[in-house]
Amino acid sequence: MARLLLGPLLRYVDGSTATVWVEADRPCAAEVRCADGAHGSARTFQVAGHHYALIPVTGLTPGTETAYEVRLGVPEGEREESAGSAESAVWPLPGSRFPASTIRTPAEDGADELRVTFGSCRWASPPHDEDDPVGPDALDTLAARIAADPAAARPDVLVLLGDQVYADQTSKATQRWLAARRDLSEPPGTQVADYEEYTHLYYESWLDPEVRWLLSTVPSCMIFDDHDVIDDWNTSAAWVAEMRATPWWRERVLSGLMSYWVHQHLGNLRPEELETDALYASVRATPDGTDALRAFAAAADADSGATRWSYRRDFGRVRLLMVDTRAARVLTEGERAMLDPAEARWVREQVVG
């Protein structure tokens, strides 16, 4: 049977729907079952040999909280060829010390207030045999507080403002893993080089037990900053030209954008946006979406106006705009700006619309 490698991450939530992101170890059907009867399922899609699903959950009741479980099984149409049970529960983990993961929906009339926890620049927890260079982890601390008292006040949403992973500053444990793959005396050295190495960063960060549980039970909004790709990413046209002249940069930036789209960007989108997203449809319609996603990343890197990473979330009367101030920059000397004209226009429209 399929195993759960990463997740679940509770991403989008409104009064009646939610999305839950997972990675499995093989192609399968991923399902969310809620205690109140709400449910959803999705077949995994493949990128670079990895298998992901963003599960749309429907039938939720506004203003309630319901526990959920994740099940992985044989895709419909293949079950007759498979021996044994068609599916198995993979979340909550057996013997978990954490409370059940839940989906908490806002009331139909919208909340009078919104509780937001925000932050950025998260250094993944180090191995137990190493010192922590940055001190206690804020997400670990938040998770421990909520788990100890589930009735206590908790955030309605986590807003993660960039540097969810550090592609250019890796831990000693990751460096040992990289050294088993390639020669670290060759550029980019101890920095990550490709998509597979990016996936390792997400495992290192999101498999932390406290963080894994927290992301399974509190919705999250994410956006990249520089270290998700490299320090000072898109500082100037001269900087970009210098980086593009190196032999390793193209694979790095494409892998950074591809892994960001899979692990972070998809979950930022509202269900109705997912239904009309051409790239998402293309990736899911093919046995392996790597080529389609790589072409998308190449276009996004070549032209800041080729895609929009910014997005909008509405929480009752509160509107959150997550604005891309890295990939959407204008770098032409004499015309430099944090946002290109189309992006700036979009932001204004979302604010006043």
Side-chain angles (χ1 to χ4, degrees):
M1 295 299 297
R3 294 186 301 112
L4 184 68
L5 293 183
L6 194 58
L9 276 73
L10 179 61
R11 298 303 315 275
Y12 176 89
V13 175
D14 63 22
S16 60
T17 61
T19 59
V20 176
W21 183 96
V22 297
E23 181 187 352
D25 70 338
R26 67 191 67 184
C28 63
E31 182 180 8
V32 169
R33 293 185 184 179
C34 299
D36 67 356
H39 64 90
S41 63
R43 186 166 181 157
T44 57
F45 60 89
Q46 179 171 303
V47 173
H50 291 260
H51 308 282
Y52 309 99
L54 186 62
I55 308 162
V57 182
T58 59
L60 295 163
T61 302
T64 63
E65 182 175 5
T66 181
Y68 74 89
E69 67 174 16
V70 176
R71 304 180 74 86
L72 300 179
V74 180
E76 188 175 355
E78 301 176 16
R79 294 180 181 179
E80 293 182 358
E81 303 174 6
S82 175
S85 174
E87 60 180 31
S88 61
V90 295
W91 186 270
L93 299 176
S96 173
R97 58 187 170 88
F98 296 99
S101 299
T102 63
I103 301 175
R104 180 180 294 183
T105 58
E108 284 185 321
D109 56 357
D112 292 331
E113 63 180 31
L114 180 71
R115 186 182 297 271
V116 177
T117 294
F118 64 92
S120 67
C121 310
R122 181 173 184 266
W123 183 268
S125 298
H128 295 298
D129 60 350
E130 293 182 14
D131 292 332
D132 189 335
V134 294
D137 187 290
L139 287 184
D140 278 344
T141 302
L142 176 63
R145 181 178 65 79
I146 296 174
D149 184 8
R154 58 187 283 184
D156 297 303
V157 62
L158 294 172
V159 177
L160 305 180
L161 296 168
D163 300 341
Q164 271 64 265
V165 294
Y166 276 70
D168 53 347
Q169 298 178 31
T170 55
S171 67
K172 292 181 180 178
T174 292
Q175 290 171 24
R176 290 192 291 269
W177 181 83
L178 294 174
R181 297 190 81 229
R182 57 180 171 84
D183 183 356
L184 298 190
S185 68
E186 298 291 332
T190 59
Q191 301 182 31
V192 299
D194 58 24
Y195 186 91
E196 185 64 27
E197 294 179 4
Y198 262 103
T199 66
H200 184 83
L201 296 184
Y202 283 101
Y203 294 150
E204 182 177 53
S205 185
W206 288 356
L207 288 178
D208 171 285
E210 284 77 15
V211 171
R212 189 178 193 183
W213 176 78
L214 181 68
L215 292 174
S216 77
T217 202
V218 179
S220 55
C221 298
M222 306 181 187
I223 193 71
F224 48 46
D225 198 18
D226 56 344
H227 290 284
D228 294 87
V229 178
I230 195 169
D231 189 26
D232 292 336
W233 179 34
N234 281 351
T235 300
S236 66
W239 183 94
V240 171
E242 180 180 350
M243 296 304 296
R244 288 178 176 172
T246 65
W248 56 271
W249 172 246
R250 180 172 173 79
E251 188 61 37
R252 165 69 156 276
V253 69
L254 296 190
S255 297
L257 293 174
M258 291 169 66
S259 63
Y260 174 78
W261 185 88
V262 170
H263 293 81
Q264 300 188 51
H265 180 69
L266 276 182
N268 291 331
L269 302 181
R270 303 189 300 272
E272 58 268 29
E273 291 175 314
L274 288 167
E275 291 177 1
T276 60
D277 189 286
L279 177 61
Y280 185 48
S282 176
V283 168
R284 291 192 298 158
T286 61
D288 189 312
T290 305
D291 289 345
L293 184 53
R294 187 176 180 85
F296 168 84
D301 178 55
D303 178 5
S304 64
T307 190
R308 173 166 293 120
W309 300 107
S310 301
Y311 62 96
R312 181 186 106 194
R313 286 276 194 92
D314 291 337
F315 301 88
R317 298 175 59 192
V318 177
R319 175 165 295 175
L320 170 68
L321 294 185
M322 293 286 271
V323 181
D324 162 26
T325 59
R326 280 289 171 183
R329 292 182 176 189
V330 177
L331 302 180
T332 305
E333 292 301 331
E335 302 176 12
R336 294 171 65 177
M338 295 296 285
L339 303 177
D340 66 35
E343 191 80 0
R345 184 167 56 253
W346 179 88
V347 171
R348 288 193 297 271
E349 290 171 353
Q350 302 310 307
V351 169
V352 302

